[in-house]
Amino acid sequence: MVEPRFRRDGAWVGASVPRREDPRLLAGRGRFVDDIALPGMLHAQFVRSTEAHAELLAVDLDEVHAVPGVVAAYTAADLDLADITALLDRPAHEFVPTAMPVLARDKVRYVGEPVAVVVAKDPYAAEDGVEAAVVEYAPLEPVVSDLGALAEGAPLVHAEAPRNTLVDVSLFATEGIDDVFAEAHTVVEVRTKTGRQNALPLETRGVVADWDDRDEQLRVQTCSQVPHQVRTVLARCVGLDEKQVRVTVPDMGGGFGQKCVVGREEIAAAAAALRLRRPVKWIEDRRDALTAAFLAREQRYVVRAAFSADGEILGLDADVVCDMGAYSCYPFTAGIEPLMASAEMPGVYRVPAYRVRGRAVTTNKAPTAPYRGVSRPQYVMVVERVFEKAARALGIDAVELRRRNLITVFPYTGVNDITYDPGSYLESLDLCEKTLREEGWFSRRSDENRVIGIGFACFSERTGYGSGAFAQRKMQVVPGFDISEIRMDLNGTVSVTTGTLSHGQSHETTMAQIVADRLGVPYDRVKIVQGDTDRITYGWGSFASRSITIGGSAVAAASVKLGDQLKEIAAHLLSGDPEAAVLEDGGVRVGSSWLPFAEIADVAYLKAHLLPKGVGPGLAATASFDVGGDGTFSNATHGCVVELDPGTGGVEILRYVCVEDCGVAIHPQVVEGQARGGIAQGIAGALFEEVRYDEAGQPLAPSFMEYKVPTAMEIPDVRIEHLETPCAFTENGAKGAGEGGTIGAPAAVLNAVNDALRHTGVELDDTPVRREAVFRALEVTR
Amino acid sequence: MIQLVELSVNGERHDLAIEPRRTLVDVLRHDLGLTGTHVGCEHGICGACTVLVDGAPARACLIFAAQVEGAEIRTVESLSSDGELNDLQRCFSEHHGLQCGFCTPGMLMLAEGYLAEEPEPTTEEIREVVASNLCRCTGYQTIVEAIDDCAARRRAALQDRLDRRAS
């Protein structure tokens, strides 16, 4: 048994135990998709569009076939696959469905769009083959910005989508909101544009597919957060039924949302394997990952807020436009970003009147997928800018202004029809401010020789979206529940399935801790089975901070059912009362007698004739869990201290404090890791990373020389303080912890930058913050 | 064109018949089956493919295998012995210096090479070295702490040995 580093109340939950994942990953013995080699395996690469927007006149692969090592090359016409189409149940004026072909057919819509697949004996030959392809285009005028997309007479990316608008929803519109604004003491406005970002898992996307005659299955090993959804789409695209496709997920080098949608390349590679009856591997190279993979976060906000003289927020009026690129992603659609922003924007504040219009526009850029936080990093930043601006306009301290408006009485039902379960909104703000004050940052801020600013961000984050919450978004495919099957085998070891899928979040450890507590066994006696569509009942994978809240609850519920079985059998064997039986120390105690699980398993499998009447052989149970109502809200306050360099316009983060509350932390060290990693990605979006395009729609950041991923020199150490408001309706009291860091960081950083610029009269509201803008702002006052 | 190349990896000699354009990382991973070394960018920025070439950290994606004939190459697979993680690996685990584990082998080899050259680094120096590689999960803090802790433990162990020899 592994000794935990600390345990609370003798329980596994709450203990930062050694991660089950670590030994293999540290020894270089993990198994990532590119580590897999099958006999006779071929390698795929893609001929990709060099045009942002063009008619596809001809794809000539004759020369490709002549390249040494090339085995096959296919166009869309050759493979004849069904399109990938994601749908919302919304009327035509709110949502325009568009199909994403696996390979481009008549038209290309972004640079990097796959046009043909080349399959060769080794990856080098596959790339040689790609270079030999000749594609003839008739270029069309590209649409390269949201404003360009919406402009009168703009070219259409999809003929069926007028004004290049895929989603257009107007929600809430509280009665009398115009009067609220007309009569308000103070109205502030924030206009913000946020840069397009890449979720950037360090492991790029990839797949190994082969047809197996014995299993009559197309076996697909891929680094996906949503294996069942890959199975469903792949089966549809190639014309197989669900049982003929098995998707398994090996170790995964991060996902962050980019891998929670179904990609075209994995479908095309699998289709090639099916046709060739040979294993085919595709590993995305970094250039393709930077230019042709799913992107996110390019949004434009115009938000007005009305305040009373004493700083009470009276109304919020928002217009959100999201540049979703060329296609809708499966299963979320292009609605993912505007619908998230529209539904959740009022956030942690008591906003009595709210109106929002959310739009998704299509442009000639690589398509988008949900990325860690989904719109929340943006709208939280906008709302937190609102409070900073209002504080200045009203002459009230910005932290105090937040205090006056935070939700403090729970449950709270907002103007956005969402009910918030209890959180520590005020407490986290107080503690965050106190921490920075005690560390002396407020006095350093007033040093006249330095340009130092302090910024805060208050937010809550809905985690564990259940079926009800996703149904509200009117997705035609409604994720939400999770199903777990648990089994005890001989000698009392436990295996349990989860429909969620760890790709860095440590579920092999944390889920095992949950089971361990429910059954009274050490956590290393529990094996977690994930990422295999043959072994796991339909699941939704890991995204939206759903794994511990929903998956963890299903695992717990299944454990309890198994525990009941064990108690019933033990009571019978010990001639005691099942009601008096308790699970204890790896066995069942009934009165003064105790029977170890191994002996119960022995009876259940090897001596079934000894089982009580009506109890079948074996030890197994299935349970499901769904979050009813509106889900559970984690919350946090982030505080950031920056120093600006008047000579370079550089922004250095001097201090970062995060006070977070995700309910019961199953593994505090893992929760802290999620917060730190999330904050790093939020800082990346606030200060460094942007996917830019030129006027012709050519991507300007095709390598890490241009796409500036921050290193250890840019990302500060983060002080984390925990508060704990347990969730009342998940099985473990836990709330989600995967995204919060990313959500709070852009707001805290941007507010700190603007605080440092307070003497200049300049306010910067766009991200990433440009050095030149900071330099110019400081130049005026130098 | 095929070229004969002789490589020494983790103390073992390998004879290879490969294309001259074949990178060291592809040879390690796909010809020798040492898949612990990962490929993150193929242009020398992310450092996931970091290995030691004659003791110095190097990007295996930027080196042709044919260039390192005669050199001693070490990969992550050399760190643990008999299934036991070494002190650096254990420090990474204790400090939660890895999440998905994809950058980890590169970070470990970077740190192993660096600590051999500089056994008494400051935390800031460690941070600068860690900035050679990219990690998308951890925010780097726990990686720096893990290396710092390992360096401190190695110094303490060395001091302990010296003390015992003196007494």
Side-chain angles (χ1 to χ4, degrees):
Chain A
M1 178 177 135
V2 187
E3 276 305 310
R5 264 163 244 153
F6 64 86
R7 289 170 65 162
R8 191 180 56 178
D9 312 330
W12 293 99
V13 165
S16 291
V17 297
R19 290 206 320 161
R20 303 286 303 281
E21 294 87 343
D22 281 352
R24 69 172 187 274
L25 296 173
L26 285 161
R29 297 183 63 84
R31 187 172 66 251
F32 295 87
V33 65
D34 192 30
D35 301 343
I36 296 164
L38 299 178
M41 187 170 74
L42 303 172
H43 300 265
Q45 272 306 334
F46 290 85
V47 177
R48 293 179 181 276
S49 173
T50 55
E51 295 289 327
H53 196 194
E55 304 281 352
L56 199 51
L57 299 181
V59 182
D60 181 354
L61 302 178
D62 286 352
E63 295 294 319
V64 177
H65 292 285
V67 170
V70 168
V71 173
Y74 303 116
T75 63
D78 297 329
L79 288 180
D80 192 27
L81 302 169
D83 294 344
I84 302 170
T85 308
L87 297 174
L88 295 176
D89 273 332
R90 287 184 180 270
H93 67 275
E94 288 190 346
F95 173 70
V96 179
T98 49
M100 179 163 71
V102 175
L103 295 172
R105 262 197 308 271
D106 312 318
K107 200 176 170 186
V108 289
R109 294 185 172 87
Y110 61 96
V111 172
E113 178 159 9
V115 168
V117 57
V118 176
V119 183
K121 286 180 181 161
D122 74 67
Y124 292 66
E127 292 197 24
D128 293 343
V130 165
E131 284 182 12
V134 181
V135 184
E136 208 180 317
Y137 303 96
L140 300 165
E141 188 188 336
V143 178
V144 293
S145 72
D146 57 335
L147 298 180
L150 291 168
E152 197 71 49
L156 293 184
V157 178
H158 293 270
E160 60 271 37
R163 297 188 84 93
N164 292 308
T165 301
L166 299 182
V167 174
D168 188 350
V169 293
S170 292
L171 299 175
F172 308 113
T174 312
E175 208 180 318
I177 189 169
D178 287 319
D179 296 336
V180 169
F181 275 86
E183 292 159 14
H185 176 274
T186 296
V187 173
V188 294
E189 184 181 271
V190 176
R191 289 172 174 268
T192 291
K193 169 88 168 36
T194 60
R196 203 173 193 79
Q197 239 189 306
N198 193 314
L200 208 103
L202 200 56
E203 177 204 39
T204 57
R205 298 179 300 151
V207 64
V208 175
D210 70 312
W211 173 263
D212 187 87
D213 279 312
R214 183 169 175 275
D215 291 343
E216 294 181 334
Q217 269 188 326
L218 184 55
R219 300 185 303 193
V220 178
Q221 304 183 68
T222 183
C223 45
S224 170
Q225 297 168 238
V226 289
H228 279 98
Q229 286 64 52
V230 172
R231 182 181 78 180
T232 295
V233 172
L234 176 56
R236 252 183 243 162
C237 285
V238 299
L240 295 173
D241 60 41
E242 294 258 331
K243 76 170 172 10
Q244 288 177 300
V245 178
R246 178 180 191 178
V247 178
T248 55
V249 181
D251 281 322
M252 228 170 110
F256 314 118
Q258 188 173 79
K259 298 172 180 170
C260 83
V261 297
V262 181
R264 318 157 78 166
E265 292 89 346
E266 61 215 46
I267 305 293
L274 181 63
R275 169 159 313 202
L276 292 164
R277 291 293 199 264
R278 287 181 69 176
V280 172
K281 176 190 272 191
W282 168 67
I283 300 297
E284 182 177 51
D285 72 15
R286 183 54 66 183
R287 183 193 168 88
D288 292 344
L290 284 169
T291 57
F294 293 95
L295 304 172
R297 299 244 202 276
E298 187 168 7
Q299 303 185 349
R300 187 182 300 276
Y301 286 77
V302 179
V303 174
R304 292 188 313 138
F307 284 84
S308 71
D310 60 357
E312 189 185 343
I313 189 165
L314 304 173
L316 201 57
D317 190 6
D319 186 90
V320 187
V321 177
C322 305
D323 180 345
M324 303 306 286
Y327 294 100
S328 250
C329 62
Y330 185 94
F332 301 98
T333 79
I336 180 78
E337 288 193 357
L339 292 175
M340 174 70 89
S342 303
E344 318 264 345
M345 194 180 302
V348 288
Y349 299 108
R350 295 187 306 267
V351 178
Y354 178 45
R355 177 168 61 196
V356 62
R357 182 182 187 190
R359 281 175 284 179
V361 299
T362 177
T363 57
N364 293 116
K365 303 177 188 172
T368 47
Y371 169 27
R372 198 176 197 175
V374 185
S375 286
R376 289 168 290 193
Q378 288 74 46
Y379 78 68
V380 166
M381 188 177 93
V382 170
V383 171
E384 293 301 290
R385 290 299 301 138
V386 160
F387 273 85
E388 294 284 332
K389 282 179 204 279
R392 284 191 195 186
L394 292 162
I396 301 173
D397 174 73
V399 171
E400 174 57 26
L401 186 67
R402 288 181 175 89
R403 271 195 199 103
R404 292 182 193 178
N405 288 285
L406 283 171
I407 300 166
T408 51
V409 179
F410 300 95
Y412 175 86
T413 300
V415 68
N416 48 348
D417 292 337
I418 290 173
T419 299
Y420 297 78
D421 66 331
S424 53
Y425 300 176
L426 188 60
E427 296 82 350
S428 65
L429 175 60
D430 287 347
L431 180 55
C432 190
E433 192 200 26
K434 180 166 163 262
T435 304
L436 285 175
R437 199 170 287 289
E438 287 177 356
E439 288 185 355
W441 292 105
F442 282 89
S443 52
R444 258 170 276 186
R445 174 179 176 268
S446 30
D447 183 342
E448 282 181 7
N449 298 314
R450 299 175 73 179
V451 191
I452 290 179
I454 298 176
F456 290 92
C458 294
F459 63 96
S460 70
E461 163 206 6
R462 176 154 33 168
T463 67
Y465 284 76
S467 304
F470 275 119
Q472 253 182 1
R473 299 274 168 90
K474 301 188 177 165
M475 286 175 69
Q476 201 180 67
V477 171
V478 183
F481 63 84
D482 198 57
I483 301 170
S484 261
E485 294 168 42
I486 193 165
R487 196 178 73 212
M488 182 173 280
D489 285 315
L490 289 178
N491 79 15
T493 54
V494 179
S495 65
V496 61
T497 71
T498 174
T500 65
L501 196 133
S502 185
H503 43 287
Q505 301 94 328
S506 326
H507 298 166
E508 287 170 54
T509 307
T510 53
M511 297 273 188
Q513 289 175 269
I514 290 170
V515 175
D517 274 354
R518 290 297 192 286
L519 290 176
V521 295
Y523 83 115
D524 60 348
R525 301 276 284 174
V526 182
K527 178 180 172 53
I528 302 301
V529 179
Q530 56 181 350
D532 184 339
T533 58
D534 266 17
R535 295 178 69 186
I536 297 155
T537 310
Y538 208 88
W540 293 102
S542 283
F543 54 83
S545 301
R546 67 186 302 276
S547 300
I548 284 297
T549 50
I550 299 176
S553 294
V555 157
S559 305
V560 170
K561 277 192 176 179
L562 176 64
D564 289 345
Q565 273 181 41
L566 289 162
K567 285 191 264 187
E568 185 181 359
I569 297 169
H572 173 75
L573 295 173
L574 296 170
S575 308
D577 176 9
E579 297 297 314
V582 287
L583 303 176
E584 197 179 286
D585 293 335
V588 180
R589 176 166 300 285
V590 187
S592 58
S593 314
W594 180 80
L595 203 57
F597 289 148
E599 286 185 30
I600 303 172
D602 222 46
V603 170
Y605 292 104
L606 306 180
K607 301 182 183 72
H609 60 286
L610 297 179
L611 287 167
K613 216 173 241 154
V615 172
L619 290 169
T622 301
S624 67
F625 187 84
D626 201 339
V627 173
D630 290 337
T632 179
F633 287 77
S634 297
N635 69 273
T637 297
H638 291 198
C640 176
V641 184
V642 302
E643 178 165 15
L644 309 183
D645 182 341
T648 65
V651 178
E652 185 187 354
I653 298 174
L654 302 177
R655 189 61 172 147
Y656 204 104
V657 174
C658 163
V659 181
E660 68 81 38
D661 185 344
C662 65
V664 173
I666 309 295
H667 189 301
Q669 196 182 37
V670 163
V671 167
E672 292 191 357
Q674 290 296 311
R676 290 203 171 90
I679 287 165
Q681 292 187 9
I683 291 170
L687 296 177
F688 301 102
E689 295 177 6
E690 188 177 13
V691 180
R692 298 173 74 180
Y693 292 82
D694 71 9
E695 287 165 6
Q698 293 291 334
L700 295 173
S703 84
F704 282 146
M705 296 300 284
E706 301 87 14
Y707 193 77
K708 304 253 183 238
V709 182
T711 72
M713 290 305 284
E714 288 81 42
I715 300 300
D717 283 354
V718 176
R719 174 171 172 178
I720 297 174
E721 299 292 337
H722 298 280
L723 297 173
E724 185 181 290
T725 311
C727 175
F729 49 85
T730 57
E731 285 289 336
N732 306 287
K735 303 171 175 183
E739 299 171 278
T742 315
I743 294 169
V749 171
L750 191 62
N751 279 339
V753 168
N754 279 293
D755 187 48
L757 291 173
R758 63 194 176 276
H759 61 290
T760 66
V762 175
E763 290 187 43
L764 303 176
D765 290 327
D766 295 344
T767 55
V769 174
R770 297 193 199 292
R771 273 174 175 249
E772 187 185 344
V774 174
F775 178 81
R776 297 276 174 228
L778 294 173
E779 197 178 37
V780 177
T781 54
R782 204 162 36 185
Chain B
M1 193 178 78
I2 296 294
Q3 187 177 342
L4 292 177
V5 174
E6 184 186 317
L7 282 189
S8 174
V9 181
N10 300 334
E12 196 179 330
R13 206 192 101 159
H14 301 272
D15 293 306
L16 296 150
I18 53 172
E19 284 187 86
R21 65 174 173 172
R22 202 153 174 83
T23 61
L24 175 60
V25 73
D26 281 348
V27 166
L28 291 172
R29 291 177 47 77
H30 302 304
D31 297 329
L32 304 183
L34 296 170
T35 53
T37 305
H38 296 150
V39 180
C41 71
E42 290 181 291
H43 54 280
I45 306 287
C46 81
C49 65
T50 303
V51 297
L52 300 184
V53 176
D54 287 333
R59 306 291 208 225
C61 75
L62 292 185
I63 303 171
F64 295 115
Q67 288 175 284
V68 285
E69 273 194 307
E72 179 52 48
I73 294 150
R74 276 188 68 198
T75 69
V76 68
E77 284 88 351
S78 71
L79 295 183
S80 49
S81 54
D82 301 328
E84 287 286 311
L85 300 179
N86 82 356
D87 54 348
L88 179 66
Q89 292 166 311
R90 288 198 304 273
C91 282
F92 266 65
S93 182
E94 283 175 29
H95 288 271
H96 195 29
L98 69 158
Q99 290 181 26
C100 79
F102 197 80
C103 76
T104 310
M107 287 287 185
L108 288 169
M109 297 319 285
L110 176 70
E112 198 65 48
Y114 175 61
L115 292 183
E117 177 193 307
E118 174 51 87
E120 296 185 35
T122 65
T123 308
E124 267 321 293
E125 286 167 342
I126 292 171
R127 180 173 287 282
E128 271 187 51
V129 168
V130 170
S132 313
N133 287 11
L134 297 180
C135 167
R136 195 60 166 172
C137 294
T138 62
Y140 303 106
Q141 179 176 344
T142 52
I143 295 176
V144 173
E145 287 169 356
I147 297 169
D148 210 357
D149 189 17
C150 180
R153 289 191 207 188
R154 284 182 185 182
R155 284 196 299 274
L158 177 65
Q159 191 59 51
D160 194 42
R161 279 201 300 279
L162 293 174
D163 290 349
R164 254 182 296 170
R165 203 171 298 164
S167 63

